[in-house]
Every structure is written in structure tokens, then in C-alpha cells.
Coordinates of all heavy atoms in Angstrom, one line a residue:
M9 N 0.8 -1.2 0.0 CA 0.0 0.0 -0.1 C 0.9 1.3 0.0 O 1.6 1.5 1.0 CB -1.0 0.1 1.3 CG -2.2 -0.7 1.0 SD -3.2 -0.4 2.4 CE -3.7 -2.0 2.9
A10 N 0.7 1.9 -0.9 CA 1.6 3.2 -1.0 C 0.7 4.4 -0.6 O -0.5 4.2 -0.6 CB 2.0 3.4 -2.6
Q11 N 1.3 5.4 -0.2 CA 0.7 6.6 0.2 C -0.8 6.5 0.8 O -1.1 5.7 1.6 CB 0.7 7.7 -0.9 CG 0.8 7.0 -2.2 CD 0.5 7.9 -3.4 OE1 -0.6 8.5 -3.4 NE2 1.4 8.2 -4.4
S12 N -1.7 7.4 0.3 CA -3.0 7.5 0.8 C -4.0 6.5 0.4 O -4.0 6.1 -0.7 CB -3.6 8.8 0.5 OG -2.7 9.9 0.7
T13 N -4.5 5.9 1.3 CA -5.6 4.9 1.1 C -6.9 5.4 1.6 O -6.9 6.1 2.6 CB -5.3 3.6 1.6 OG1 -5.0 3.8 3.0 CG2 -4.1 3.0 1.0
K14 N -7.9 4.9 1.1 CA -9.2 5.1 1.8 C -9.3 4.2 2.9 O -8.7 3.2 3.0 CB -10.3 4.7 0.8 CG -10.4 5.6 -0.4 CD -11.8 6.0 -0.6 CE -11.9 7.1 -1.7 NZ -13.2 7.6 -1.8
G15 N -9.9 4.7 4.0 CA -10.1 3.8 5.2 C -10.8 2.5 5.0 O -11.4 2.4 3.9
R16 N -10.9 1.9 6.0 CA -11.6 0.5 5.8 C -13.1 0.9 5.6 O -13.8 0.3 4.9 CB -11.7 -0.1 7.2 CG -10.3 -0.8 7.4 CD -10.2 -1.2 8.9 NE -9.9 -0.1 9.8 CZ -10.5 0.1 11.0 NH1 -11.3 -0.8 11.5 NH2 -10.3 1.1 11.7
L17 N -13.5 1.9 6.3 CA -14.9 2.3 6.0 C -14.7 3.8 5.3 O -13.8 4.5 5.6 CB -15.7 2.5 7.3 CG -15.9 1.2 8.0 CD1 -16.3 1.5 9.5 CD2 -17.0 0.3 7.4
N18 N -15.6 4.0 4.5 CA -15.6 5.4 4.0 C -16.3 6.4 4.8 O -17.5 6.5 4.7 CB -16.3 5.4 2.5 CG -15.3 4.7 1.5 OD1 -14.2 4.5 1.8 ND2 -15.9 4.4 0.4
Y19 N -15.6 7.1 5.6 CA -16.2 8.2 6.4 C -16.3 9.4 5.5 O -15.4 9.8 4.8 CB -15.3 8.4 7.6 CG -15.3 7.2 8.5 CD1 -14.2 6.7 9.0 CD2 -16.6 6.8 9.0 CE1 -14.2 5.7 9.9 CE2 -16.5 5.8 10.0 CZ -15.5 5.2 10.4 OH -15.4 4.2 11.3
R20 N -17.4 10.1 5.7 CA -17.4 11.4 5.0 C -16.9 12.5 6.0 O -16.8 12.3 7.2 CB -18.9 11.6 4.6 CG -19.9 11.9 5.8 CD -21.1 12.5 5.3 NE -21.8 11.9 4.2 CZ -22.9 11.1 4.3 NH1 -23.3 11.0 5.6 NH2 -23.4 10.5 3.5
C21 N -16.5 13.4 5.4 CA -15.8 14.6 6.0 C -17.0 15.4 6.8 O -17.8 15.9 6.2 CB -15.0 15.4 5.2 SG -14.5 17.0 6.0
P22 N -16.9 15.5 8.2 CA -17.9 16.1 8.9 C -18.0 17.6 8.6 O -19.0 18.3 8.5 CB -17.7 15.8 10.3 CG -16.2 15.3 10.3 CD -15.9 14.8 9.0
S23 N -16.8 18.1 8.5 CA -16.6 19.5 8.2 C -17.4 19.9 6.8 O -18.1 20.9 6.7 CB -15.2 19.9 8.2 OG -15.0 21.2 8.0
C24 N -17.0 19.1 5.8 CA -17.6 19.4 4.5 C -19.0 19.0 4.5 O -19.9 19.8 3.8 CB -16.9 18.5 3.4 SG -15.3 19.1 3.1
F25 N -19.4 18.0 5.3 CA -20.8 17.7 5.3 C -21.7 18.8 5.8 O -22.8 19.1 5.4 CB -21.0 16.4 6.2 CG -22.3 15.9 6.1 CD1 -22.9 15.5 4.9 CD2 -23.0 15.6 7.3 CE1 -24.2 14.9 4.8 CE2 -24.3 15.1 7.1 CZ -24.9 14.8 6.1
M26 N -21.1 19.6 6.7 CA -21.8 20.7 7.2 C -22.1 21.8 6.1 O -23.0 22.6 6.2 CB -21.0 21.5 8.2 CG -20.7 20.6 9.6 SD -22.1 20.7 10.7 CE -21.3 20.3 12.2
R27 N -21.3 21.7 5.2 CA -21.5 22.7 4.1 C -22.1 22.0 2.8 O -21.9 22.5 1.7 CB -20.1 23.2 3.7 CG -19.6 24.4 4.6 CD -18.3 24.7 4.4 NE -17.4 24.3 5.4 CZ -16.1 24.3 5.2 NH1 -15.6 24.3 4.1 NH2 -15.4 23.9 6.2
D28 N -22.8 20.8 3.1 CA -23.4 20.3 2.0 C -22.7 19.5 1.0 O -23.1 19.3 -0.2 CB -24.3 21.3 1.2 CG -25.8 21.2 1.7 OD1 -26.1 20.3 2.4 OD2 -26.5 22.0 1.2
L29 N -21.4 19.2 1.4 CA -20.6 18.5 0.4 C -20.3 17.1 1.1 O -20.0 17.0 2.2 CB -19.1 19.2 0.3 CG -19.2 20.6 -0.2 CD1 -17.9 21.4 0.1 CD2 -19.5 20.6 -1.7
D30 N -20.5 16.1 0.3 CA -20.4 14.8 0.7 C -19.0 14.2 0.2 O -19.0 13.7 -1.0 CB -21.6 14.0 0.1 CG -21.8 12.7 1.0 OD1 -20.9 12.4 1.8 OD2 -22.7 12.1 0.8
L31 N -18.1 14.2 1.0 CA -16.8 13.8 0.5 C -16.2 12.7 1.4 O -16.2 12.9 2.7 CB -15.7 15.1 0.6 CG -16.0 16.1 -0.4 CD1 -15.3 17.3 -0.1 CD2 -15.6 15.6 -1.8
D32 N -15.6 11.8 0.8 CA -15.0 10.7 1.5 C -13.6 11.2 2.0 O -12.9 12.0 1.2 CB -14.8 9.5 0.7 CG -16.1 8.7 0.4 OD1 -16.9 8.9 1.2 OD2 -16.2 7.9 -0.6
M33 N -13.1 10.8 3.1 CA -11.9 11.1 3.7 C -10.9 10.0 3.3 O -11.1 8.9 3.0 CB -12.0 11.5 5.2 CG -12.7 12.7 5.4 SD -12.6 13.2 7.1 CE -13.3 11.8 7.9
F34 N -9.6 10.5 3.4 CA -8.5 9.5 3.4 C -7.9 9.1 4.7 O -8.2 9.9 5.6 CB -7.4 10.1 2.4 CG -7.9 10.1 1.0 CD1 -8.7 11.3 0.6 CD2 -7.6 9.1 0.1 CE1 -9.1 11.3 -0.8 CE2 -8.1 9.1 -1.2 CZ -8.8 10.2 -1.7
Y35 N -7.2 8.1 4.7 CA -6.8 7.5 6.0 C -5.2 7.5 5.9 O -4.7 7.0 5.0 CB -7.3 6.1 6.2 CG -7.0 5.6 7.5 CD1 -7.4 6.2 8.6 CD2 -6.3 4.3 7.6 CE1 -7.1 5.6 9.9 CE2 -5.9 3.8 8.8 CZ -6.4 4.5 10.0 OH -6.0 4.0 11.3
D36 N -4.6 8.0 6.9 CA -3.3 8.0 7.1 C -2.8 6.9 8.0 O -3.1 7.0 9.2 CB -2.7 9.3 7.7 CG -1.2 9.5 7.7 OD1 -0.6 8.4 7.9 OD2 -0.7 10.6 7.4
E37 N -2.3 5.8 7.5 CA -1.9 4.6 8.3 C -1.0 4.9 9.4 O -1.1 4.4 10.5 CB -1.5 3.5 7.5 CG -2.5 3.1 6.3 CD -2.9 1.6 6.5 OE1 -2.5 1.1 7.5 OE2 -3.6 1.1 5.6
E38 N -0.2 5.8 9.1 CA 1.0 6.0 10.0 C 0.5 6.8 11.3 O 0.8 6.4 12.4 CB 2.2 6.8 9.4 CG 3.3 5.9 9.0 CD 4.4 6.7 8.2 OE1 4.8 7.8 8.6 OE2 4.7 6.3 7.1
K39 N -0.3 7.8 11.0 CA -0.9 8.6 12.0 C -2.1 8.2 12.6 O -2.6 8.6 13.5 CB -0.9 10.1 11.5 CG 0.3 10.8 11.2 CD 0.0 12.3 10.8 CE 1.2 12.9 10.1 NZ 0.8 14.0 9.3
K40 N -2.7 7.1 11.9 CA -4.0 6.6 12.2 C -5.1 7.7 12.3 O -5.8 7.9 13.3 CB -3.9 5.9 13.6 CG -2.9 4.9 13.6 CD -3.6 3.4 14.2 CE -2.6 2.5 14.3 NZ -1.9 2.0 13.1
E41 N -5.0 8.6 11.3 CA -5.9 9.7 11.2 C -6.5 9.8 9.9 O -6.1 9.4 8.8 CB -5.1 11.0 11.5 CG -4.9 11.3 12.9 CD -3.9 12.5 12.9 OE1 -3.3 13.0 12.0 OE2 -4.0 13.1 14.1
Y42 N -7.8 10.2 10.0 CA -8.5 10.5 8.6 C -8.3 12.0 8.3 O -8.3 12.8 9.2 CB -10.0 10.2 8.8 CG -10.3 8.7 8.8 CD1 -10.2 8.0 10.0 CD2 -10.7 8.1 7.7 CE1 -10.5 6.6 10.0 CE2 -10.8 6.7 7.8 CZ -10.9 6.0 8.9 OH -11.0 4.6 8.8
Y43 N -8.3 12.2 7.1 CA -8.2 13.5 6.6 C -8.8 13.9 5.4 O -9.1 13.0 4.6 CB -6.7 13.9 6.5 CG -5.9 13.2 5.5 CD1 -5.7 13.8 4.2 CD2 -5.3 11.9 5.8 CE1 -5.0 13.1 3.2 CE2 -4.6 11.3 4.8 CZ -4.5 11.8 3.6 OH -3.7 11.2 2.6
C44 N -9.2 15.0 5.2 CA -10.0 15.5 4.1 C -9.1 16.4 3.2 O -8.3 17.1 3.7 CB -11.2 16.3 4.5 SG -12.1 17.1 3.2
L45 N -9.1 16.1 2.0 CA -8.2 16.9 1.0 C -8.8 18.2 0.7 O -8.1 19.2 0.2 CB -8.2 16.1 -0.3 CG -7.4 14.7 -0.3 CD1 -7.4 14.0 -1.5 CD2 -6.0 15.0 0.2
R46 N -9.9 18.4 1.0 CA -10.6 19.6 0.6 C -10.6 20.8 1.6 O -10.3 22.0 1.3 CB -12.1 19.4 0.2 CG -12.7 20.6 -0.4 CD -14.1 20.3 -0.7 NE -14.7 21.4 -1.2 CZ -15.1 21.7 -2.5 NH1 -14.8 20.8 -3.4 NH2 -15.5 22.9 -2.9
C47 N -10.7 20.4 2.8 CA -10.9 21.4 4.0 C -9.9 21.2 5.0 O -10.1 22.0 6.0 CB -12.3 21.3 4.6 SG -12.6 20.0 5.5
Q48 N -8.9 20.4 4.9 CA -7.9 20.3 5.8 C -8.3 19.7 7.2 O -7.6 19.7 8.2 CB -7.3 21.6 6.2 CG -7.0 22.6 5.0 CD -5.8 22.2 4.3 OE1 -4.7 22.0 4.8 NE2 -6.0 22.0 3.0
Y49 N -9.4 19.1 7.2 CA -9.8 18.4 8.4 C -9.0 17.2 8.7 O -8.8 16.4 7.8 CB -11.4 18.1 8.3 CG -11.8 17.2 9.5 CD1 -12.2 17.8 10.7 CD2 -11.8 15.9 9.4 CE1 -12.5 17.0 11.7 CE2 -12.2 15.0 10.3 CZ -12.5 15.5 11.7 OH -12.9 14.7 12.7
V50 N -8.6 17.1 9.9 CA -8.0 15.9 10.3 C -8.4 15.3 11.7 O -8.6 16.2 12.5 CB -6.3 16.1 10.4 CG1 -5.6 14.7 10.9 CG2 -5.8 16.6 9.1
G51 N -8.6 14.1 11.8 CA -9.1 13.5 13.0 C -9.0 12.0 13.1 O -8.9 11.3 12.1
S52 N -8.9 11.6 14.4 CA -9.0 10.2 14.6 C -10.3 9.6 14.1 O -11.2 10.4 14.0 CB -8.7 9.8 16.0 OG -9.7 10.4 16.8
E53 N -10.4 8.3 14.1 CA -11.7 7.6 13.8 C -12.7 8.0 14.8 O -13.9 8.3 14.4 CB -11.5 6.1 13.8 CG -12.7 5.3 13.4 CD -12.4 3.9 13.2 OE1 -11.2 3.4 13.2 OE2 -13.4 3.2 12.9
E54 N -12.4 8.1 15.9 CA -13.3 8.4 17.1 C -13.8 9.8 16.8 O -15.1 10.0 16.9 CB -12.6 8.4 18.4 CG -13.4 7.9 19.6 CD -12.6 7.8 20.7 OE1 -12.2 8.7 21.4 OE2 -12.1 6.7 21.1
D55 N -12.9 10.7 16.6 CA -13.3 12.1 16.3 C -14.2 12.2 15.1 O -15.2 13.0 15.1 CB -12.0 12.9 16.0 CG -12.2 14.3 16.2 OD1 -12.9 14.8 17.1 OD2 -11.8 15.0 15.3
V56 N -13.9 11.4 14.1 CA -14.6 11.6 12.9 C -16.1 11.1 13.2 O -17.0 11.7 12.8 CB -14.0 10.7 11.7 CG1 -14.9 10.5 10.5 CG2 -12.7 11.4 11.3
L57 N -16.2 10.0 13.8 CA -17.4 9.4 14.1 C -18.3 10.3 15.0 O -19.5 10.5 14.6 CB -17.3 8.0 14.8 CG -16.9 6.9 14.0 CD1 -16.6 5.7 14.8 CD2 -17.9 6.6 13.0
Q58 N -17.7 10.9 15.9 CA -18.4 11.8 16.7 C -18.9 12.9 16.1 O -20.0 13.5 16.1 CB -17.5 12.2 17.8 CG -18.1 12.8 19.1 CD -17.0 13.2 20.1 OE1 -15.9 13.5 19.8 NE2 -17.5 13.4 21.4
K59 N -18.1 13.6 15.3 CA -18.4 14.7 14.5 C -19.5 14.5 13.4 O -20.3 15.3 13.1 CB -17.2 15.4 13.9 CG -16.2 16.0 15.0 CD -15.3 17.0 14.4 CE -14.7 17.9 15.4 NZ -13.9 17.1 16.3
N60 N -19.3 13.4 12.9 CA -20.2 12.9 11.8 C -21.7 12.8 12.4 O -22.7 13.2 11.8 CB -19.8 11.5 11.2 CG -19.3 11.7 9.8 OD1 -19.8 12.5 9.1 ND2 -18.5 10.9 9.4
Q61 N -21.7 12.3 13.7 CA -23.0 12.2 14.3 C -23.6 13.7 14.6 O -24.7 13.8 14.4 CB -22.8 11.4 15.6 CG -23.2 9.9 15.5 CD -23.0 9.2 16.8 OE1 -22.4 9.8 17.6 NE2 -23.5 8.0 16.8
M62 N -22.7 14.4 15.0 CA -23.1 15.8 15.3 C -23.6 16.5 13.9 O -24.6 17.1 14.0 CB -21.9 16.7 15.8 CG -21.8 16.5 17.3 SD -20.3 17.3 17.8 CE -20.2 18.8 17.0
A63 N -22.9 16.2 12.9 CA -23.2 16.8 11.7 C -24.6 16.3 11.2 O -25.4 17.0 10.7 CB -22.1 16.5 10.6
R64 N -24.7 15.1 11.3 CA -26.0 14.5 10.8 C -27.2 14.9 11.6 O -28.2 15.2 11.1 CB -25.9 12.9 11.1 CG -26.6 12.1 10.0 CD -26.3 10.6 10.1 NE -24.9 10.3 9.7 CZ -24.3 9.1 10.1 NH1 -24.9 8.3 11.1 NH2 -23.2 8.9 9.8
F65 N -26.9 15.0 13.0 CA -27.9 15.5 13.8 C -28.2 17.0 13.4 O -29.5 17.3 13.3 CB -27.4 15.5 15.3 CG -28.4 16.0 16.3 CD1 -29.5 15.3 16.7 CD2 -28.1 17.3 16.9 CE1 -30.4 15.8 17.6 CE2 -29.0 17.8 17.7 CZ -30.1 17.1 18.2
R66 N -27.3 17.7 13.3 CA -27.6 19.1 12.9 C -28.2 19.3 11.6 O -29.2 20.0 11.4 CB -26.3 19.9 12.8 CG -26.0 20.8 14.1 CD -25.1 21.8 13.5 NE -24.2 22.3 14.5 CZ -23.3 23.1 14.4 NH1 -23.2 23.8 13.2 NH2 -22.5 23.5 15.4
Y67 N -27.7 18.6 10.6 CA -28.3 18.7 9.3 C -29.7 18.2 9.2 O -30.5 19.0 8.6 CB -27.4 17.7 8.5 CG -27.6 17.9 7.0 CD1 -27.2 19.0 6.3 CD2 -28.3 17.0 6.3 CE1 -27.2 19.1 5.0 CE2 -28.5 17.2 4.9 CZ -27.9 18.2 4.2 OH -28.1 18.4 3.1
K68 N -30.1 17.2 9.9 CA -31.4 16.7 9.9 C -32.3 17.6 10.5 O -33.4 17.7 10.1 CB -31.3 15.3 10.8 CG -32.6 14.6 10.5 CD -32.6 13.2 11.4 CE -32.6 13.7 12.8 NZ -32.9 12.6 13.7
D69 N -31.8 18.3 11.5 CA -32.7 19.2 12.2 C -32.6 20.6 11.8 O -33.2 21.4 12.4 CB -32.4 19.0 13.7 CG -32.7 17.7 14.3 OD1 -33.9 17.1 13.8 OD2 -32.1 17.1 15.1
M70 N -31.9 20.8 10.6 CA -31.9 22.2 10.3 C -33.1 22.7 9.9 O -33.4 24.0 9.9 CB -30.8 22.3 9.1 CG -29.7 23.2 9.5 SD -28.1 22.8 8.6 CE -28.6 22.9 6.9
L71 N -34.1 21.9 9.5 CA -35.4 22.4 9.1 C -36.3 22.7 10.2 O -37.3 23.3 10.1 CB -36.1 21.3 8.2 CG -35.2 21.0 6.9 CD1 -36.0 19.7 6.2 CD2 -35.1 22.2 5.9
K72 N -35.9 22.3 11.4 CA -36.7 22.4 12.6 C -36.1 23.4 13.4 O -34.9 23.7 13.3 CB -36.7 21.1 13.4 CG -37.8 20.0 12.9 CD -38.1 19.0 13.9 CE -37.4 17.8 13.8 NZ -37.4 17.0 14.9
R73 N -36.8 23.9 14.3 CA -36.2 24.9 15.3 C -36.3 24.3 16.7 O -37.2 23.9 17.1 CB -36.9 26.2 15.2 CG -36.1 27.3 15.0 CD -36.8 28.5 14.6 NE -36.5 29.2 13.4 CZ -35.5 30.1 13.4 NH1 -34.8 30.4 14.4 NH2 -35.1 30.5 12.2
F74 N -35.1 24.4 17.4 CA -35.1 23.9 18.7 C -35.0 25.1 19.7 O -34.2 25.9 19.6 CB -34.0 23.0 18.9 CG -34.3 21.6 18.5 CD1 -33.6 21.0 17.4 CD2 -35.2 20.8 19.1 CE1 -33.8 19.8 16.9 CE2 -35.4 19.5 18.6 CZ -34.9 19.0 17.6
D75 N -35.9 25.1 20.7 CA -35.7 26.1 21.7 C -34.9 25.4 22.9 O -34.1 26.3 23.6 CB -37.0 26.5 22.3 CG -37.8 27.3 21.2 OD1 -37.2 28.1 20.4 OD2 -39.0 27.1 21.2
R76 N -34.9 24.3 23.0 CA -34.2 23.5 24.1 C -34.0 22.1 23.6 O -34.7 21.6 22.6 CB -35.0 23.6 25.3 CG -36.3 22.9 25.3 CD -37.3 23.4 26.4 NE -38.6 22.9 26.1 CZ -39.0 21.6 26.5 NH1 -38.3 21.0 27.2 NH2 -40.3 21.2 26.3
F77 N -33.2 21.3 24.3 CA -32.9 20.0 24.0 C -33.6 19.0 25.0 O -33.4 19.2 26.2 CB -31.3 19.8 23.9 CG -30.7 20.4 22.8 CD1 -30.1 21.5 22.9 CD2 -30.9 19.7 21.6 CE1 -29.5 22.1 21.9 CE2 -30.2 20.4 20.5 CZ -29.6 21.5 20.7
D78 N -34.3 18.1 24.5 CA -34.8 17.1 25.4 C -34.2 15.8 25.0 O -34.3 15.3 23.9 CB -36.4 17.0 25.0 CG -37.2 18.0 25.7 OD1 -36.7 18.5 26.7 OD2 -38.1 18.6 24.9
F79 N -33.5 15.3 26.0 CA -32.8 14.1 25.8 C -33.5 12.9 26.4 O -33.1 11.7 26.2 CB -31.4 14.1 26.3 CG -30.4 15.1 25.6 CD1 -30.0 16.2 26.1 CD2 -30.2 14.7 24.3 CE1 -29.2 17.0 25.4 CE2 -29.4 15.6 23.5 CZ -28.9 16.8 24.1
D80 N -34.6 13.1 27.0 CA -35.4 12.0 27.5 C -36.5 11.6 26.6 O -37.2 12.3 26.1 CB -35.9 12.3 28.9 CG -34.9 12.3 30.0 OD1 -34.0 11.5 30.0 OD2 -34.9 13.3 30.9
Ligands
LIG115 ZN1 -13.7 18.3 4.4

């Protein structure tokens, strides 16, 4: 495997996703980090997953308005 490979899973870039861009990130095996070629986002798998969830949450709810959060 030379240079950049795609990760085992194709994670989309949370940062780009916020801007309506659906981009797969690349994986740096040495650093164990995912990175985006477009927006300079770099993060561990954990970070990516977490941010992706946030992005999805926000994106999905962008049409709605929240005054408060109900987690129960
Ligand atoms: Zn990006």
C-alpha cells in the first residue's frame, strides 16, 4: 500500500458535510488519522465518528427549530 488509502470504511468529512458537501476522507495509516483533502480536516476515527454524528444531527434538524434540547 503506497501513500494515501481510503479507510476501511468510507467516512465522510464532517466539516464538508456541514457545508452540503459529501466527501470521503482518506486515511493516514502512520498517524492513524482520517483527513480531508478539501478542507484540511484531520481527526482520529473516534473524532470523525463523533463529528459525523453531530453533523448528521444538525443537518437533519436544520429544518426544525429547537428552543431547548430534550434528551429523555
Ligand atoms: Zn472536508
